[in-house]
Amino acid sequence: MTTTFSAKPILVTGATGTVGSRLIPRLLAQGEAVRALVRDPESDTALRLRAADADLVVGDLATLDAAGFKAVVDGTAAVIHLAATFRDSPTPERANAVNADASTALAEAALEAGVTRFVFASTNLVYGGGHTAPQNEQSELGPIAWGGPYPASKVAAENSLQDLRTHRGLDLRVVRLAFVYGDGDPHIQEFMKRPLDWHPSRRLQMVHHADVAQGLILALRADGLSGETFNIADDSAATLAEIYRYTGRDLTPEMTGRTVTEPWFGIVENTKARRVLGFRPLYPTMWQAVDAGAM
């Protein structure tokens, strides 16, 4: 069974972010009404969302009080919670405040408003390192030594939201996203600015924005999934050598002489999302997105 929510809007947080700004037009195109939480209603992205018929509501999750959270969510049918701090290299305190504490406060406000369906965007980085195979949703979370404070704050948020599901009936669905790319997002180019010590054979598990939207919408609409977690990712990860080739860079002899470390870091299975949600990547690999002109 699936549910559509066109009678009431879906609240999307992080609406002007890289994921939200690409998800909302797809939700609207599928006939859903959207309430978009934005910090600056006059930004170019916010104005584009308004022009596309999204209803803008102004607020910052980092500063809202309980009444403000309730006002944001009141009258909506469901929540897709995307807002997070990550690409701005947050401190551990800010990461926890925005990614964990505010997520809990938003979910509590949703419950107070009678809005129980809550889709939470997490990350495949929560699995950490030390794995010997691709990670599925039952894999233990290994030590987190990469990604700064962001993955740990997402673990904290997941745990807190699951507690609200257990004790207060939150209809929670956790979607763990791989490295997001495509649709004009400069994420790959930003990634390549990092000081990487990877062997060229090491892989990066990615997911195209179109498939992020697919996974989030499927998780939103499917009934009977409270508490479930889903990996949303391409079918096949790209090697660092392939990413170098895509960005027009040459590998160096020093790179090819590096030791291969953590070959399964960030590599996840999307089998459960396929089986339970009917998820089928529109772009199963980075190169198919390149061929389709969808980068």
Side-chain angles (χ1 to χ4, degrees):
M1 293 283 294
T2 60
T3 299
T4 55
F5 301 91
S6 55
K8 290 183 178 181
I10 298 161
L11 173 65
V12 179
T13 70
T16 58
T18 55
V19 174
S21 62
R22 292 163 173 84
L23 168 67
I24 288 173
R26 291 178 165 104
L27 276 169
L28 294 167
Q30 294 194 23
E32 300 289 4
V34 173
R35 179 183 296 176
L37 180 63
V38 302
R39 286 181 291 182
D40 179 5
E42 301 303 320
S43 70
D44 290 344
T45 304
L47 292 174
R48 285 196 296 271
L49 294 176
R50 178 186 289 151
D53 287 333
D55 175 34
L56 303 189
V57 59
V58 180
D60 186 340
L61 292 182
T63 59
L64 285 175
D65 59 15
F69 277 108
K70 189 174 185 302
V72 164
V73 77
D74 198 32
T76 62
V79 177
I80 299 179
H81 181 35
L82 306 175
T85 180
F86 171 42
R87 297 192 191 186
D88 56 350
S89 301
T91 63
E93 293 76 18
R94 177 165 171 77
N96 280 320
V98 176
N99 300 341
D101 297 343
S103 298
T104 303
L106 177 65
E108 289 174 336
L111 288 167
E112 290 292 330
V115 181
T116 59
R117 188 158 298 188
F118 194 98
V119 179
F120 178 64
S122 189
T123 171
N124 66 334
L125 296 177
V126 299
Y127 291 109
H131 296 281
T132 58
Q135 291 100 76
N136 60 37
E137 293 81 356
Q138 285 72 48
S139 297
E140 290 188 11
L141 306 188
I144 297 173
W146 196 84
Y150 173 70
S153 68
K154 285 292 190 177
V155 172
E158 286 191 26
N159 290 339
S160 180
L161 294 172
Q162 290 288 4
D163 188 64
L164 287 176
R165 175 192 64 84
T166 300
H167 298 289
R168 295 187 56 187
L170 186 69
D171 187 3
L172 174 68
R173 296 97 194 281
V174 176
V175 174
R176 291 174 176 165
L177 303 176
F179 180 102
V180 181
Y181 75 102
D183 276 6
D185 186 346
H187 201 186
I188 291 176
Q189 288 74 17
E190 292 169 356
F191 173 76
M192 293 298 289
K193 295 176 183 178
R194 291 173 175 265
L196 295 171
D197 60 357
W198 292 8
H199 187 275
S201 66
R202 185 156 160 185
R203 296 169 295 164
L204 181 66
Q205 185 90 59
M206 299 197 288
V207 60
H208 192 279
H209 273 287
D211 292 316
V212 171
Q214 179 194 171
L216 289 168
I217 293 170
L218 287 170
L220 170 74
R221 289 177 169 170
D223 293 330
L225 296 180
S226 183
E228 296 288 348
T229 298
F230 299 96
N231 293 330
I232 299 297
D234 287 355
D235 287 341
S236 181
T239 64
L240 184 61
E242 290 176 294
I243 296 171
Y244 262 66
R245 177 155 58 93
Y246 165 68
T247 56
R249 302 186 183 196
D250 295 323
L251 299 177
T252 66
E254 181 274 328
M255 292 178 65
T256 58
R258 292 173 181 170
T259 301
V260 178
T261 59
E262 288 282 7
W264 298 108
F265 177 83
I267 306 301
V268 298
E269 296 179 1
N270 63 16
T271 308
K272 181 180 176 182
R274 284 177 164 273
R275 173 175 50 83
V276 176
L277 299 178
F279 175 73
R280 298 292 185 274
L282 299 171
Y283 303 107
T285 70
M286 179 188 75
W287 291 115
Q288 284 166 295
V290 171
D291 290 343
M295 296 296 285

